[in-house]
Amino acid sequence: MKYLRNFGQEFKKNKALFSMLAPAFILTVVLSYIPMVGLILAFKNFNYGKGIFGSKFNGIENFRFLFASGKGWQITKNTILYNLLNLVTSQAIAILLSIFITEIRAKYYKKVTQSLIFLPYFISWVLVGIFVFAIFNYETGLLNNLRKAAGAEPYNIYAVPGIWPFLICAFNAWKWSGYNSVIYIAAITGVDQEIYEAAAIDGANIFQRIRHIMLPCIRPTVITMLLLQVGRILRGDFEMFYQIVGNNGQLFDVTDVIDTYVFRSLMTNANIGMTTAAALYQSVVCFVVIILVNAIVKRIDADYALF
Amino acid sequence: MAANTTGVEGATKIKNSPSSTIFYVIAYTIVGAMAIICLVPFLIMISGSFTAEKYITFHGFNIYPVEFSTEAYNLIFKTPSTIIKAYGVSIYVTILGTFLGLMVTAATAYVLGRKDFKYRNQFSFFFYFTTLFNGGMVCTYIFFVRYLHLNDSLWAVILPGMFSVFNMLIMRTFVVGIPTALIESAKIDGAGEYKIFFSIILPLLKPGLATIGLFLALAYWNNWYNAMLYINNPDKFPLQYMLYNLLQKSEAMARIAAQAGLVVTDVPSNSLKMAMAVVATGPILIVYPFVQKYFVAGITIGSVKG
């Protein structure tokens, strides 16, 4: 009660400030908190006419359905594997690039290459989908164009599911390495330039400078990036998967992540209860993982914790 | 970007050892190769848009136009109504969304950046929590369509992108950089909170507004996902979603053929897809060199804050 009264007094005193918070507050309630209430559908048999609250409870039936078919495990496995693969490759490439780019001394070479590497961040995934079409489609793609020119048989890449994890990983790295290297370059150049100069004067060669100055500089950034990604361990980048894979059903077994599966179920009106169960499962696991990992990091070194 | 990467000038005075020469050869090669890999898809797109359809059908796409032709662009500009409508929708969504988003973000960041605002931690947590836990696509979709009746309304495209915690935290960094004394002295002079915000804070926040405004504008311009979920009326398709339809759905190609008075099989579909992609991405490619530095600044601040 006392807390409420304090809040009321504060509200009266700072009406203007509260009113400035109101738009964001309302947006967040409407767009984030109210849909959370909808998660109770995970325990209901959804009927569109009866709505969220009118539909009947059916216990954990939706979860059983999701996992009994084996689909739940498969998309969980895919999501985690893709996240780990993408995390390692995109960060490794970005770190390598950022070290190389900071060391490049030719001014224009540096500027032009850096701008080009950053460019994919600015385009939509739809355009990436167009690129995939232009390179890999069977009839007119560049790949088969080159193969034909070299006298080889055209290759139907859509019939080879095993290649797609690597393609998806490559496109993910392609799109994000510029963005991530901006972060790492900032971390490397964020330190006092005198340290580099002193090291150079003391006779440290380039490898020693990388090992003893640059890598320690980017360590906190690497940890932050890892933490952020770990908190999304069950979330797939829907736009990426959807645009790269498209509607090629024969690839779904290896490319389906929770998000694409949920979306397709939603569009085909299959089973709203089950898709909500998948969403709840996804959110809860991510939440628990990030809280746990953050707590562990906090115990080891509080500076690196996210919150 | 240049300002960010001053390099290691002191090191240049030291003579390179053979092993560091190898390092530089590798560094220049790999960075150059990556730059080319990033550029090639754009070259395929542009060259495809300028290549005769006959050539593409027989030989496929290439990284330079072997048989130059502007037939795809001729078709687009002969009956430009589809593309003009989509451009109109994208411009409308981008401008309105960016403006509203900036206002909401700046106001929120300002209040939460004020050290004398007692409940700033509670509200920060209230916003931050949504990045850790959310209801997901299905619940949002049902809520939007069944309860808010946002089907076929452009608000369904604008509202979800207006406020993001990431943008707000970047903006708050800019707010914290403003000396508190300015606010204090304005108060003593009798200025109200709104007056302080609009006539003192907003002008000082210009660099922050530019940065976040560009993030918002890019996100709105590139958004196709919300349009796919909520917009069914082709007249309300933003550019990116129209482009997606053209690539994936035969109806979209048929509609363009009908408008141009052609049989679908006569439409230069391969080069047309690339030409549409060029027209949709053109604005980004044109402004890219000028706005790049704002994105670099924003990303850098965002990464420091975590």
Side-chain angles (χ1 to χ4, degrees):
Chain A
M1 264 333 277
K2 189 161 171 265
Y3 186 81
L4 271 182
R5 206 164 44 236
N6 280 344
F7 188 84
Q9 277 170 1
E10 191 70 20
F11 185 83
K12 251 186 230 148
K13 203 173 84 194
N14 282 322
K15 255 190 212 138
L17 290 184
F18 277 95
S19 75
M20 287 184 208
L21 274 185
F25 185 83
I26 294 166
L27 272 176
T28 308
V29 167
V30 170
L31 297 173
S32 300
Y33 282 94
I34 292 180
M36 276 182 213
V37 178
L39 284 171
I40 55 165
L41 279 179
F43 305 100
K44 286 184 165 200
N45 184 7
F46 182 65
N47 176 317
Y48 193 85
K50 289 182 187 159
I52 290 175
F53 297 105
S55 297
K56 285 216 166 57
F57 280 102
N58 67 350
I60 56 159
E61 200 50 40
N62 293 322
F63 293 91
R64 260 233 314 265
F65 190 82
L66 177 66
F67 286 101
S69 61
K71 197 72 204 175
W73 298 120
Q74 191 197 15
I75 54 179
T76 303
K77 191 187 84 185
N78 281 353
T79 312
I80 294 176
L81 287 179
Y82 273 110
N83 278 337
L84 293 179
L85 189 65
N86 286 340
L87 175 65
V88 172
T89 50
S90 68
Q91 300 301 327
I93 292 173
I95 291 170
L96 203 65
L97 282 175
S98 61
I99 291 175
F100 287 163
I101 289 173
T102 11
E103 281 296 325
I104 285 178
R105 290 155 198 178
K107 205 174 141 208
Y108 288 103
Y109 188 77
K110 183 179 197 153
K111 212 172 167 178
V112 170
T113 51
Q114 213 177 351
S115 297
L116 287 175
I117 293 171
F118 196 23
L119 185 57
Y121 164 72
F122 288 83
I123 59 165
S124 72
W125 280 108
V126 173
L127 201 67
V128 177
I130 298 246
F131 291 164
V132 172
F133 165 80
I135 298 171
F136 295 114
N137 91 78
Y138 185 73
E139 287 90 16
T140 59
L142 180 74
L143 178 75
N144 281 341
N145 180 12
L146 294 176
R147 285 180 70 88
K148 274 186 268 181
E153 283 294 304
Y155 187 65
N156 186 5
I157 208 162
Y158 290 92
V160 195
I163 278 186
W164 287 84
F166 300 101
L167 279 182
I168 287 171
C169 179
F171 273 104
N172 179 68
W174 181 82
K175 188 119 170 37
W176 289 108
S177 59
Y179 179 96
N180 288 331
S181 64
V182 166
I183 296 175
Y184 288 119
I185 288 171
I188 293 174
T189 52
V191 269
D192 198 339
Q193 291 300 317
E194 282 177 17
I195 296 179
Y196 289 106
E197 285 167 27
I201 289 163
D202 286 348
N205 68 27
I206 176 70
F207 300 102
Q208 288 165 328
R209 289 208 301 272
I210 292 174
R211 170 75 186 78
H212 295 290
I213 304 177
M214 287 189 190
L215 290 184
C217 283
I218 58 176
R219 212 170 84 120
T221 314
V222 174
I223 293 174
T224 307
M225 302 285 259
L226 288 178
L227 270 177
L228 287 174
Q229 289 304 313
V230 162
R232 304 181 45 83
I233 190 74
L234 276 193
R235 294 188 198 284
D237 184 344
F238 172 81
E239 298 199 15
M240 171 173 76
F241 285 95
Y242 194 72
Q243 290 296 345
I244 292 179
V245 177
N247 296 318
N248 293 289
Q250 70 269 39
L251 301 178
F252 287 163
D253 277 350
V254 289
T255 61
D256 240 357
V257 290
I258 297 176
D259 300 81
T260 46
Y261 178 69
V262 163
F263 173 77
R264 269 206 326 280
S265 308
L266 178 67
M267 286 296 120
T268 52
N269 257 330
N271 184 339
I272 297 289
M274 188 201 64
T275 54
T276 318
L280 179 63
Y281 155 70
Q282 186 182 35
S283 261
V284 168
V285 172
C286 285
F287 184 70
V288 171
V289 166
I290 187 68
I291 296 291
L292 274 180
V293 173
N294 191 62
I296 294 168
V297 170
K298 211 171 192 169
R299 284 198 74 148
I300 298 170
D301 188 342
D303 286 347
Y304 291 137
L306 280 182
F307 44 82
Chain B
M1 225 174 221
N4 218 327
T5 56
T6 39
V8 192
E9 303 305 338
T12 49
K13 290 175 204 130
I14 308 296
K15 227 179 173 185
N16 285 340
S17 64
S19 69
S20 66
T21 310
I22 295 172
F23 171 85
Y24 284 109
V25 171
I26 293 173
Y28 276 72
T29 316
I30 288 190
V31 171
M34 188 66 194
I36 290 170
I37 291 171
C38 287
L39 179 65
V40 162
F42 293 92
L43 293 182
I44 302 173
M45 167 181 81
I46 294 168
S47 95
S49 74
F50 281 111
T51 303
E53 185 69 15
K54 248 190 1 261
Y55 180 85
I56 301 177
T57 320
F58 284 111
H59 303 281
F61 289 108
N62 214 323
I63 54 172
Y64 59 93
V66 180
E67 228 173 88
F68 187 85
S69 156
T70 56
E71 59 179 333
Y73 290 101
N74 293 345
L75 179 62
I76 293 176
F77 293 115
K78 203 173 87 185
T79 49
S81 66
T82 312
I83 196 111
I84 287 176
K85 258 183 211 149
Y87 248 97
V89 173
S90 278
I91 291 172
Y92 173 79
V93 166
T94 303
I95 290 180
L96 189 61
T98 304
F99 174 74
L100 294 176
L102 269 182
M103 284 300 127
V104 176
T105 309
T108 314
Y110 168 62
V111 177
L112 296 183
R114 279 268 298 257
K115 286 181 197 74
D116 57 339
F117 184 67
K118 205 174 155 196
Y119 291 95
R120 66 180 192 284
N121 287 335
Q122 285 86 336
F123 277 103
S124 296
F125 178 78
F126 171 83
F127 294 123
Y128 188 70
F129 182 74
T130 59
T131 65
L132 298 176
F133 194 90
N134 63 62
M137 169 200 293
V138 184
C139 299
T140 312
Y141 178 82
I142 293 173
F143 178 59
F144 267 39
V145 173
R146 193 178 182 283
Y147 294 94
L148 296 182
H149 305 288
L150 285 177
N151 234 0
D152 261 344
S153 157
L154 286 178
W155 285 108
V157 180
I158 293 173
L159 288 177
M162 266 168 63
F163 180 73
S164 92
V165 179
F166 178 77
N167 287 346
M168 192 271 285
L169 290 177
I170 295 179
M171 189 71 99
R172 200 176 64 178
T173 320
F174 285 97
V175 170
V176 172
I178 297 172
T180 330
L182 273 177
I183 301 169
E184 299 298 332
S185 63
K187 266 189 191 161
I188 292 165
D189 291 345
E193 293 290 358
Y194 292 114
K195 176 127 178 106
I196 293 174
F197 178 68
F198 284 107
S199 6
I200 297 174
I201 301 298
L202 276 189
L204 288 173
L205 272 183
K206 262 183 208 150
L209 292 171
T211 305
I212 300 303
L214 286 166
F215 273 113
L216 285 167
L218 182 71
Y220 276 118
W221 188 266
N222 279 341
N223 190 290
W224 55 278
Y225 170 72
N226 288 314
M228 175 174 72
L229 283 180
Y230 302 111
I231 309 292
N232 300 310
N233 177 356
D235 287 344
K236 287 184 178 174
F237 284 175
L239 262 181
Q240 300 293 334
Y241 186 53
M242 188 211 68
L243 189 62
Y244 167 76
N245 271 282
L246 199 64
L247 183 70
Q248 296 290 344
K249 296 188 179 150
S250 45
E251 309 99 79
M253 201 53 91
R255 200 160 44 238
I256 287 188
Q259 276 173 5
L262 291 171
V263 190
V264 179
T265 46
D266 287 346
V267 174
S269 66
N270 283 303
S271 52
L272 186 66
K273 283 170 187 168
M274 298 303 141
M276 281 289 197
V278 170
V279 172
T281 317
I284 293 181
L285 298 182
I286 291 167
V287 299
Y288 176 61
F290 308 103
V291 300
Q292 195 189 352
K293 62 172 187 284
Y294 292 98
F295 283 93
V296 171
I299 294 167
T300 307
I301 294 167
S303 74
V304 173
K305 283 271 110 185

